[in-house]
Amino acid sequence: MKKLICLLLLLFLLVGCGAVPENAPQTTAATSNTQNKDLLPEALLGKSPRELMALFGNDYREVVPEGDPPYFYFEGASPYQFCGSIEDEAIFYLKGQEAGSSILPGLTVGSTVEALEAWAENTDRIYTPADSWYETAGVEYGWAFITGSGYNYSLYIKDRVIFSFECWMETE
């Protein structure tokens, strides 16, 4: 129960990083380097911004939304938004919403709920399916969670397809 409360508190603290201001550039539907698209979040979290630059290049954009934590991204080189400042020692939280972006081995943005459930049957991670579904303007959406191995995932599911996700590394 204590872990669940800590997880929820961390999620509430970090949820502002996922907010994209109206004037912020949107991620594109395709990256120029497909090899980087297959890098898993767990291979990237814990790295310093300098290490990320060594992977994706020095062409990054940093966004500092009003009232929300900053994030930076490498347009065309990485499908992820790294939550934090380019000056931070390490990055422990990221967001992905580009179709085809890797989440975990065998699971990507664009995977169906059925594929997610089949994936969950073959893993030692804890999968928590969406317990509530909401509908707005004919669109059904909800959130599912994957925890374990020191990483936590929140999956935003829209019309029974993973639309985006957030991943954060446990630091304790």
Side-chain angles (χ1 to χ4, degrees):
M1 184 67 167
K2 183 179 176 184
K3 278 190 172 185
L4 179 61
I5 292 171
C6 290
L7 175 67
L8 289 174
L9 286 174
L10 180 62
L11 182 61
F12 287 128
L13 288 172
L14 297 175
V15 76
C17 183
V20 178
E22 290 180 33
N23 60 352
Q26 299 296 312
T27 53
T28 58
T31 60
S32 59
N33 188 338
T34 56
Q35 181 181 8
N36 289 339
K37 193 174 190 175
D38 294 331
L39 288 173
L40 295 173
E42 294 177 15
L44 301 172
L45 292 177
K47 291 190 179 303
S48 71
R50 298 231 183 276
E51 291 172 303
L52 295 171
M53 282 187 254
L55 282 171
F56 302 117
N58 292 327
D59 187 18
Y60 66 88
R61 292 197 176 146
E62 190 166 16
V63 179
V64 183
E66 186 175 322
D68 289 328
Y71 65 92
F72 61 94
Y73 63 98
F74 301 89
E75 188 170 9
S78 171
Y80 307 115
Q81 294 175 350
F82 298 93
C83 299
S85 168
I86 202 74
E87 303 299 323
D88 287 347
E89 288 185 34
I91 300 300
F92 299 103
Y93 181 79
L94 64 75
K95 179 179 177 180
Q97 64 187 31
E98 187 175 303
S101 300
S102 296
I103 301 171
L104 286 159
L107 196 59
T108 65
V109 172
S111 294
T112 64
V113 169
E114 292 78 17
L116 171 61
E117 290 171 349
W119 175 90
E121 289 178 12
N122 297 312
T123 185
D124 59 346
R125 308 263 179 134
I126 300 168
Y127 168 63
T128 306
D131 59 357
S132 297
W133 292 97
Y134 306 93
E135 188 174 330
T136 303
V139 175
E140 183 182 56
Y141 62 95
W143 288 266
F145 301 91
I146 299 170
T147 57
S149 299
Y151 297 89
N152 300 298
Y153 296 82
S154 172
L155 309 171
Y156 174 60
I157 300 171
K158 180 175 156 184
D159 287 334
R160 303 202 47 84
V161 172
I162 299 173
F163 185 75
S164 66
F165 74 96
E166 297 176 7
C167 177
W168 60 98
M169 182 177 181
E170 292 178 6
T171 57
E172 294 181 359

Tab-separated table of all heavy atoms in Angstrom, residues 46-87:
chain	number	residue	atom	x	y	z
A	46	GLY	N	18.169	7.482	-16.401
A	46	GLY	CA	19.356	7.424	-15.556
A	46	GLY	C	20.571	8.023	-16.229
A	46	GLY	O	21.596	8.243	-15.595
A	47	LYS	N	20.477	8.285	-17.518
A	47	LYS	CA	21.595	8.895	-18.258
A	47	LYS	C	21.558	10.413	-18.062
A	47	LYS	O	20.514	11.003	-17.814
A	47	LYS	CB	21.492	8.587	-19.750
A	47	LYS	CG	21.737	7.135	-20.084
A	47	LYS	CD	21.864	6.947	-21.579
A	47	LYS	CE	22.124	5.520	-21.969
A	47	LYS	NZ	23.280	4.892	-21.387
A	48	SER	N	22.721	11.018	-18.224
A	48	SER	CA	22.800	12.478	-18.167
A	48	SER	C	22.368	13.040	-19.513
A	48	SER	O	22.424	12.339	-20.532
A	48	SER	CB	24.234	12.919	-17.858
A	48	SER	OG	25.059	12.678	-18.988
A	49	PRO	N	21.944	14.297	-19.558
A	49	PRO	CA	21.644	14.922	-20.847
A	49	PRO	C	22.824	14.848	-21.819
A	49	PRO	O	22.624	14.675	-23.022
A	49	PRO	CB	21.300	16.363	-20.469
A	49	PRO	CG	20.706	16.237	-19.102
A	49	PRO	CD	21.561	15.175	-18.440
A	50	ARG	N	24.040	14.935	-21.324
A	50	ARG	CA	25.219	14.828	-22.196
A	50	ARG	C	25.299	13.446	-22.840
A	50	ARG	O	25.659	13.313	-24.000
A	50	ARG	CB	26.490	15.130	-21.421
A	50	ARG	CG	26.516	16.545	-20.859
A	50	ARG	CD	27.795	17.268	-21.204
A	50	ARG	NE	27.844	18.587	-20.612
A	50	ARG	CZ	27.285	19.662	-21.145
A	50	ARG	NH1	26.624	19.561	-22.266
A	50	ARG	NH2	27.384	20.834	-20.568
A	51	GLU	N	24.998	12.404	-22.067
A	51	GLU	CA	24.988	11.054	-22.629
A	51	GLU	C	23.882	10.905	-23.678
A	51	GLU	O	24.070	10.241	-24.700
A	51	GLU	CB	24.800	10.014	-21.522
A	51	GLU	CG	25.988	9.881	-20.596
A	51	GLU	CD	25.696	8.989	-19.413
A	51	GLU	OE1	24.734	9.260	-18.657
A	51	GLU	OE2	26.449	8.005	-19.243
A	52	LEU	N	22.748	11.549	-23.428
A	52	LEU	CA	21.661	11.521	-24.407
A	52	LEU	C	22.066	12.263	-25.676
A	52	LEU	O	21.753	11.829	-26.789
A	52	LEU	CB	20.385	12.114	-23.813
A	52	LEU	CG	19.776	11.321	-22.647
A	52	LEU	CD1	18.651	12.101	-21.994
A	52	LEU	CD2	19.301	9.954	-23.118
A	53	MET	N	22.798	13.368	-25.526
A	53	MET	CA	23.289	14.100	-26.694
A	53	MET	C	24.272	13.242	-27.496
A	53	MET	O	24.306	13.318	-28.720
A	53	MET	CB	23.947	15.412	-26.278
A	53	MET	CG	22.950	16.503	-25.950
A	53	MET	SD	23.759	18.077	-25.671
A	53	MET	CE	23.625	18.208	-23.909
A	54	ALA	N	25.058	12.428	-26.812
A	54	ALA	CA	25.985	11.546	-27.526
A	54	ALA	C	25.210	10.533	-28.379
A	54	ALA	O	25.674	10.140	-29.446
A	54	ALA	CB	26.896	10.822	-26.534
A	55	LEU	N	24.021	10.153	-27.925
A	55	LEU	CA	23.188	9.225	-28.682
A	55	LEU	C	22.413	9.901	-29.809
A	55	LEU	O	22.293	9.367	-30.907
A	55	LEU	CB	22.174	8.549	-27.756
A	55	LEU	CG	22.654	7.429	-26.874
A	55	LEU	CD1	21.564	7.038	-25.889
A	55	LEU	CD2	23.045	6.231	-27.723
A	56	PHE	N	21.853	11.084	-29.521
A	56	PHE	CA	20.895	11.705	-30.432
A	56	PHE	C	21.398	12.976	-31.114
A	56	PHE	O	20.711	13.529	-31.960
A	56	PHE	CB	19.594	12.024	-29.684
A	56	PHE	CG	18.961	10.815	-29.054
A	56	PHE	CD1	18.818	10.726	-27.680
A	56	PHE	CD2	18.523	9.757	-29.834
A	56	PHE	CE1	18.236	9.616	-27.097
A	56	PHE	CE2	17.940	8.639	-29.258
A	56	PHE	CZ	17.795	8.568	-27.885
A	57	GLY	N	22.559	13.473	-30.727
A	57	GLY	CA	23.089	14.693	-31.324
A	57	GLY	C	22.828	15.919	-30.474
A	57	GLY	O	22.105	15.866	-29.473
A	58	ASN	N	23.425	17.024	-30.864
A	58	ASN	CA	23.300	18.273	-30.096
A	58	ASN	C	22.095	19.113	-30.495
A	58	ASN	O	21.862	20.167	-29.927
A	58	ASN	CB	24.563	19.117	-30.261
A	58	ASN	CG	25.748	18.461	-29.588
A	58	ASN	OD1	25.608	17.791	-28.576
A	58	ASN	ND2	26.923	18.650	-30.161
A	59	ASP	N	21.328	18.657	-31.478
A	59	ASP	CA	20.183	19.422	-31.943
A	59	ASP	C	18.954	19.056	-31.100
A	59	ASP	O	18.211	18.139	-31.425
A	59	ASP	CB	19.921	19.131	-33.423
A	59	ASP	CG	18.852	20.036	-34.007
A	59	ASP	OD1	18.551	21.087	-33.396
A	59	ASP	OD2	18.318	19.679	-35.065
A	60	TYR	N	18.796	19.753	-29.993
A	60	TYR	CA	17.673	19.499	-29.098
A	60	TYR	C	16.897	20.790	-28.907
A	60	TYR	O	17.388	21.887	-29.174
A	60	TYR	CB	18.144	18.957	-27.746
A	60	TYR	CG	18.953	19.948	-26.958
A	60	TYR	CD1	18.327	20.855	-26.103
A	60	TYR	CD2	20.341	19.998	-27.069
A	60	TYR	CE1	19.078	21.779	-25.382
A	60	TYR	CE2	21.085	20.916	-26.362
A	60	TYR	CZ	20.450	21.801	-25.518
A	60	TYR	OH	21.181	22.714	-24.819
A	61	ARG	N	15.681	20.629	-28.445
A	61	ARG	CA	14.848	21.781	-28.091
A	61	ARG	C	14.412	21.610	-26.651
A	61	ARG	O	13.955	20.540	-26.260
A	61	ARG	CB	13.631	21.877	-28.996
A	61	ARG	CG	14.008	22.220	-30.402
A	61	ARG	CD	12.824	22.712	-31.162
A	61	ARG	NE	13.288	23.114	-32.487
A	61	ARG	CZ	12.591	23.000	-33.575
A	61	ARG	NH1	11.382	22.503	-33.528
A	61	ARG	NH2	13.080	23.390	-34.724
A	62	GLU	N	14.570	22.668	-25.901
A	62	GLU	CA	14.146	22.647	-24.500
A	62	GLU	C	12.890	23.489	-24.380
A	62	GLU	O	12.809	24.586	-24.935
A	62	GLU	CB	15.246	23.180	-23.585
A	62	GLU	CG	14.950	22.958	-22.119
A	62	GLU	CD	16.163	23.181	-21.215
A	62	GLU	OE1	17.148	23.786	-21.654
A	62	GLU	OE2	16.106	22.738	-20.077
A	63	VAL	N	11.891	22.964	-23.667
A	63	VAL	CA	10.616	23.647	-23.476
A	63	VAL	C	10.441	23.876	-21.980
A	63	VAL	O	10.611	22.946	-21.184
A	63	VAL	CB	9.452	22.805	-24.037
A	63	VAL	CG1	8.128	23.511	-23.805
A	63	VAL	CG2	9.663	22.522	-25.518
A	64	VAL	N	10.113	25.110	-21.628
A	64	VAL	CA	9.862	25.453	-20.231
A	64	VAL	C	8.435	25.985	-20.144
A	64	VAL	O	8.194	27.184	-20.267
A	64	VAL	CB	10.876	26.496	-19.707
A	64	VAL	CG1	10.636	26.767	-18.221
A	64	VAL	CG2	12.300	26.024	-19.950
A	65	PRO	N	7.466	25.074	-19.960
A	65	PRO	CA	6.073	25.511	-19.888
A	65	PRO	C	5.817	26.330	-18.630
A	65	PRO	O	6.428	26.086	-17.589
A	65	PRO	CB	5.286	24.206	-19.832
A	65	PRO	CG	6.254	23.112	-20.083
A	65	PRO	CD	7.612	23.647	-19.822
A	66	GLU	N	4.926	27.264	-18.727
A	66	GLU	CA	4.589	28.094	-17.580
A	66	GLU	C	3.911	27.229	-16.520
A	66	GLU	O	2.889	26.597	-16.763
A	66	GLU	CB	3.647	29.221	-18.001
A	66	GLU	CG	3.383	30.206	-16.892
A	66	GLU	CD	2.551	31.387	-17.373
A	66	GLU	OE1	2.767	31.838	-18.511
A	66	GLU	OE2	1.692	31.823	-16.603
A	67	GLY	N	4.508	27.165	-15.345
A	67	GLY	CA	3.940	26.428	-14.230
A	67	GLY	C	4.204	24.930	-14.240
A	67	GLY	O	3.803	24.237	-13.327
A	68	ASP	N	4.857	24.409	-15.260
A	68	ASP	CA	5.142	22.980	-15.333
A	68	ASP	C	6.650	22.767	-15.435
A	68	ASP	O	7.379	23.669	-15.857
A	68	ASP	CB	4.468	22.351	-16.555
A	68	ASP	CG	2.958	22.261	-16.407
A	68	ASP	OD1	2.479	22.091	-15.274
A	68	ASP	OD2	2.263	22.353	-17.438
A	69	PRO	N	7.108	21.570	-15.094
A	69	PRO	CA	8.543	21.288	-15.207
A	69	PRO	C	9.016	21.347	-16.659
A	69	PRO	O	8.247	21.074	-17.587
A	69	PRO	CB	8.669	19.868	-14.664
A	69	PRO	CG	7.418	19.593	-13.912
A	69	PRO	CD	6.364	20.448	-14.519
A	70	PRO	N	10.277	21.661	-16.871
A	70	PRO	CA	10.820	21.705	-18.240
A	70	PRO	C	11.016	20.293	-18.802
A	70	PRO	O	11.062	19.315	-18.063
A	70	PRO	CB	12.166	22.397	-18.062
A	70	PRO	CG	12.570	22.063	-16.666
A	70	PRO	CD	11.293	22.001	-15.870
A	71	TYR	N	11.114	20.237	-20.113
A	71	TYR	CA	11.476	18.996	-20.787
A	71	TYR	C	12.249	19.364	-22.043
A	71	TYR	O	12.229	20.503	-22.497
A	71	TYR	CB	10.264	18.115	-21.114
A	71	TYR	CG	9.289	18.698	-22.108
A	71	TYR	CD1	9.416	18.442	-23.470
A	71	TYR	CD2	8.228	19.486	-21.690
A	71	TYR	CE1	8.526	18.955	-24.388
A	71	TYR	CE2	7.330	20.010	-22.593
A	71	TYR	CZ	7.474	19.738	-23.946
A	71	TYR	OH	6.583	20.252	-24.854
A	72	PHE	N	12.967	18.384	-22.594
A	72	PHE	CA	13.679	18.610	-23.841
A	72	PHE	C	13.512	17.384	-24.724
A	72	PHE	O	13.174	16.301	-24.269
A	72	PHE	CB	15.156	18.945	-23.608
A	72	PHE	CG	15.949	17.880	-22.913
A	72	PHE	CD1	16.674	16.943	-23.637
A	72	PHE	CD2	15.992	17.818	-21.517
A	72	PHE	CE1	17.411	15.963	-23.001
A	72	PHE	CE2	16.729	16.837	-20.878
A	72	PHE	CZ	17.446	15.908	-21.617
A	73	TYR	N	13.705	17.603	-26.012
A	73	TYR	CA	13.561	16.513	-26.966
A	73	TYR	C	14.488	16.741	-28.149
A	73	TYR	O	14.965	17.850	-28.379
A	73	TYR	CB	12.103	16.362	-27.426
A	73	TYR	CG	11.571	17.567	-28.157
A	73	TYR	CD1	11.545	17.599	-29.545
A	73	TYR	CD2	11.077	18.670	-27.462
A	73	TYR	CE1	11.058	18.697	-30.229
A	73	TYR	CE2	10.587	19.766	-28.131
A	73	TYR	CZ	10.577	19.781	-29.514
A	73	TYR	OH	10.098	20.874	-30.186
A	74	PHE	N	14.750	15.657	-28.852
A	74	PHE	CA	15.627	15.668	-30.022
A	74	PHE	C	14.749	15.379	-31.234
A	74	PHE	O	14.528	14.221	-31.592
A	74	PHE	CB	16.720	14.604	-29.884
A	74	PHE	CG	17.590	14.785	-28.670
A	74	PHE	CD1	17.251	14.207	-27.455
A	74	PHE	CD2	18.755	15.529	-28.750
A	74	PHE	CE1	18.053	14.364	-26.337
A	74	PHE	CE2	19.567	15.689	-27.644
A	74	PHE	CZ	19.206	15.118	-26.436
A	75	GLU	N	14.234	16.417	-31.846
A	75	GLU	CA	13.288	16.262	-32.951
A	75	GLU	C	13.924	15.487	-34.105
A	75	GLU	O	15.008	15.810	-34.572
A	75	GLU	CB	12.816	17.627	-33.442
A	75	GLU	CG	11.700	17.536	-34.448
A	75	GLU	CD	11.083	18.877	-34.751
A	75	GLU	OE1	11.623	19.912	-34.314
A	75	GLU	OE2	10.066	18.882	-35.423
A	76	GLY	N	13.229	14.433	-34.530
A	76	GLY	CA	13.707	13.626	-35.638
A	76	GLY	C	14.738	12.579	-35.254
A	76	GLY	O	15.009	11.674	-36.029
A	77	ALA	N	15.309	12.663	-34.055
A	77	ALA	CA	16.336	11.708	-33.648
A	77	ALA	C	15.853	10.767	-32.551
A	77	ALA	O	16.367	9.661	-32.419
A	77	ALA	CB	17.585	12.443	-33.169
A	78	SER	N	14.893	11.198	-31.762
A	78	SER	CA	14.366	10.388	-30.676
A	78	SER	C	12.869	10.646	-30.556
A	78	SER	O	12.429	11.786	-30.648
A	78	SER	CB	15.051	10.747	-29.351
A	78	SER	OG	14.385	10.104	-28.280
A	79	PRO	N	12.099	9.611	-30.306
A	79	PRO	CA	10.659	9.788	-30.177
A	79	PRO	C	10.210	10.218	-28.772
A	79	PRO	O	9.030	10.373	-28.540
A	79	PRO	CB	10.106	8.403	-30.513
A	79	PRO	CG	11.174	7.480	-30.035
A	79	PRO	CD	12.477	8.197	-30.310
A	80	TYR	N	11.155	10.421	-27.859
A	80	TYR	CA	10.804	10.681	-26.468
A	80	TYR	C	11.008	12.139	-26.078
A	80	TYR	O	11.874	12.824	-26.611
A	80	TYR	CB	11.653	9.809	-25.530
A	80	TYR	CG	11.600	8.343	-25.873
A	80	TYR	CD1	12.723	7.676	-26.310
A	80	TYR	CD2	10.412	7.630	-25.749
A	80	TYR	CE1	12.685	6.330	-26.626
A	80	TYR	CE2	10.358	6.280	-26.066
A	80	TYR	CZ	11.496	5.637	-26.504
A	80	TYR	OH	11.453	4.311	-26.822
A	81	GLN	N	10.211	12.576	-25.102
A	81	GLN	CA	10.422	13.856	-24.433
A	81	GLN	C	11.040	13.516	-23.079
A	81	GLN	O	10.483	12.729	-22.318
A	81	GLN	CB	9.105	14.593	-24.222
A	81	GLN	CG	8.447	15.030	-25.498
A	81	GLN	CD	7.084	15.655	-25.256
A	81	GLN	OE1	6.546	15.606	-24.157
A	81	GLN	NE2	6.521	16.234	-26.284
A	82	PHE	N	12.195	14.109	-22.792
A	82	PHE	CA	12.915	13.848	-21.548
A	82	PHE	C	12.554	14.935	-20.551
A	82	PHE	O	12.839	16.116	-20.783
A	82	PHE	CB	14.419	13.811	-21.808
A	82	PHE	CG	14.802	12.720	-22.755
A	82	PHE	CD1	14.909	12.970	-24.111
A	82	PHE	CD2	15.020	11.431	-22.299
A	82	PHE	CE1	15.236	11.958	-25.011
A	82	PHE	CE2	15.351	10.416	-23.184
A	82	PHE	CZ	15.458	10.677	-24.537
A	83	CYS	N	11.928	14.552	-19.462
A	83	CYS	CA	11.441	15.518	-18.484
A	83	CYS	C	12.563	15.923	-17.549
A	83	CYS	O	13.159	15.092	-16.874
A	83	CYS	CB	10.260	14.938	-17.724
A	83	CYS	SG	8.886	14.566	-18.828
A	84	GLY	N	12.859	17.194	-17.555
A	84	GLY	CA	13.932	17.779	-16.778
A	84	GLY	C	14.624	18.831	-17.617
A	84	GLY	O	14.227	19.120	-18.746
A	85	SER	N	15.665	19.375	-17.079
A	85	SER	CA	16.439	20.410	-17.759
A	85	SER	C	17.670	19.798	-18.405
A	85	SER	O	18.207	18.795	-17.922
A	85	SER	CB	16.863	21.480	-16.749
A	85	SER	OG	17.825	22.327	-17.317
A	86	ILE	N	18.139	20.409	-19.434
A	86	ILE	CA	19.357	19.961	-20.107
A	86	ILE	C	20.558	20.091	-19.161
A	86	ILE	O	21.598	19.481	-19.378
A	86	ILE	CB	19.566	20.728	-21.438
A	86	ILE	CG1	20.466	19.954	-22.391
A	86	ILE	CG2	20.063	22.122	-21.194
A	86	ILE	CD1	19.828	18.777	-23.023
A	87	GLU	N	20.398	20.844	-18.093
A	87	GLU	CA	21.461	21.045	-17.096
A	87	GLU	C	21.416	20.014	-15.959
A	87	GLU	O	22.308	19.984	-15.126
A	87	GLU	CB	21.362	22.456	-16.499
A	87	GLU	CG	21.438	23.577	-17.528
A	87	GLU	CD	22.749	23.590	-18.300
A	87	GLU	OE1	23.807	23.293	-17.706
A	87	GLU	OE2	22.706	23.860	-19.511
